[in-house]
Amino acid sequence: MSRSILGMLWIGLLCANAHAQTGDHMEVSVTVVPQDIRIMVTSTQIDFARQQAAAGVVLLDPATGEISTKLHGQHKLGVVQLTGGAGTHFAIDVVAPTALNGEHADIAFDVQWAQSPGCGGEAYSMINAKRSYVGQLGEVGQACLRFGGRIVLDNAHVGVYRGAVQVRLMTL
């Protein structure tokens, strides 16, 4: 026999005489967490436009997008869009001032907000909670929140009034 055939027989004999060992087992596990929800502010300004000093109560309605009164200018709603897995639950915390600060005085401010489950032109529903809200992304994995509010202009001083609204998002 040739050397290569003898070598192969020798290797075959070694393998045949090897003892098989039994091994222990491994466990496999995975923890699945909800898909992250992305938050995008698509309109960063709540703007009541130009108002007269004695306009009284002015409502910038987040459900309809309308404003109750204005002298002129364009009013704007704040808009936040949430995107993630369809049906994902979320919690929103809103921190808003109770007054807007002016150079000489403050004016009362009450933030109001509304939600649409899909952001695609569906109707907005008012959110009655003032600070926290638990919601769910719509069938297309989106939800839109619009922010407006109510200001009180009873003989307000002429000037610009400002404040800031913070929105915090948590996945549940």
Side-chain angles (χ1 to χ4, degrees):
M1 279 192 210
S2 74
R3 245 179 205 228
S4 61
I5 294 176
L6 279 175
M8 289 181 6
L9 284 174
W10 181 251
I11 293 172
L13 288 173
L14 284 176
C15 291
N17 288 331
H19 296 296
Q21 291 188 358
T22 59
D24 208 349
H25 68 280
M26 257 190 267
E27 289 185 24
V28 177
S29 67
V30 63
T31 301
V32 178
V33 297
Q35 181 179 354
D36 285 343
I37 296 179
R38 291 171 303 286
I39 184 169
M40 181 172 56
V41 179
T42 58
S43 174
T44 61
Q45 189 175 23
I46 301 171
D47 190 342
F48 284 85
R50 291 185 183 254
Q51 299 287 339
Q52 291 185 347
V57 175
V58 178
L59 174 64
L60 179 54
D61 189 338
T64 65
E66 300 296 321
I67 193 163
S68 61
T69 183
K70 67 181 173 183
L71 189 57
H72 61 81
Q74 186 174 359
H75 62 278
K76 297 176 188 170
L77 295 165
V79 181
V80 172
Q81 182 176 344
L82 308 175
T83 307
T88 302
H89 290 85
F90 62 88
I92 295 281
D93 279 337
V94 174
V95 179
T98 57
L100 301 179
N101 304 111
E103 188 176 323
H104 301 290
D106 297 341
I107 58 172
F109 173 69
D110 180 33
V111 70
Q112 295 181 351
W113 42 320
Q115 178 193 3
S116 174
C119 303
E122 292 95 351
Y124 280 79
S125 301
M126 288 297 291
I127 297 173
N128 293 323
K130 289 295 178 193
R131 181 169 161 75
S132 298
Y133 174 73
V134 175
Q136 184 175 6
L137 296 183
E139 293 176 3
V140 295
Q142 292 183 329
C144 282
L145 302 169
R146 291 197 306 201
F147 294 84
R150 208 172 68 98
I151 58 174
V152 180
L153 300 176
D154 290 329
N155 296 316
H157 287 60
V158 173
V160 177
Y161 295 83
R162 298 190 189 280
V165 175
Q166 287 183 330
V167 179
R168 292 184 228 151
L169 169 69
M170 291 152 282
T171 305
L172 300 178

